[in-house]
Amino acid sequence: MYRGITLIPVLSKLFESVLLGLYSEHLLRDPLQFGFKKGSGCNNALFAFVESVKYFTKSDSKIHCAFLDASKAFDKVLINGLLNKLIDRKIPFHFISLLYNWYSNLSCAVVWHTAIGCPFPVTCGVSILLGSPQV
């Protein structure tokens, strides 16, 4: 069983970098989010968790934890749902329109050595747009 990845050409990465620079103030995240955030990651989440457990165990409180395994979550992202979230956040229409056109025309092809297969449309999942999902 194989899992597809996309490799974006250099010009696309440059274009995405420009978009991120233009619209970064509209792509704010929840302060409790640790992933896909500059200067933050698993170590920050683990530190916050450990410190919270220490705090509540010192005061003899019960601690209940729930963990969510979101493996392969990017494979399941519905592009229209992602765009609706952007609309709900009042992101500028021209940016949403640009993303819609980008994703609605996204296609992939299988490359094996020197052979390239027939292109097929991508209807769910995310590519490495803007470095990673920002919303």
Side-chain angles (χ1 to χ4, degrees):
M1 185 150 114
Y2 294 95
R3 186 169 171 228
I5 61 168
T6 59
L7 302 174
I8 298 177
V10 173
L11 286 178
S12 294
K13 288 185 179 186
L14 178 62
F15 177 64
E16 293 165 359
S17 180
V18 170
L19 287 179
L20 185 57
L22 291 172
Y23 294 102
S24 61
E25 73 271 5
H26 298 288
L27 302 174
L28 301 175
R29 295 160 218 80
D30 188 289
L32 297 176
Q33 177 180 341
F34 292 99
F36 307 106
K37 212 171 157 179
K38 193 173 191 174
S40 181
C42 291
N43 288 338
N44 301 89
L46 185 58
F47 176 77
F49 174 74
V50 169
E51 290 302 310
S52 297
V53 169
K54 284 180 184 177
Y55 174 81
F56 287 106
T57 53
K58 279 183 182 177
S59 61
D60 292 328
S61 296
K62 288 185 179 183
I63 301 169
H64 302 278
C65 300
F67 298 94
L68 172 67
D69 179 7
S71 64
K72 298 183 185 176
F74 293 142
D75 298 342
K76 314 252 184 311
V77 171
L78 298 175
I79 295 165
N80 287 337
L82 188 62
L83 295 174
N84 284 335
K85 294 273 188 194
L86 292 171
I87 291 168
D88 292 345
R89 288 180 133 187
K90 310 277 191 267
I91 302 297
F93 176 76
H94 51 279
F95 182 56
I96 296 171
S97 177
L98 187 130
L99 292 178
Y100 174 77
N101 287 321
W102 182 279
Y103 276 120
S104 64
N105 295 310
L106 188 60
S107 63
C108 288
V110 175
V111 176
W112 185 260
H113 297 286
T114 59
I116 300 174
C118 295
F120 56 91
V122 177
T123 57
C124 69
V126 291
S127 65
I128 309 172
L129 182 65
L130 299 176
S132 53
Q134 301 292 316
V135 291

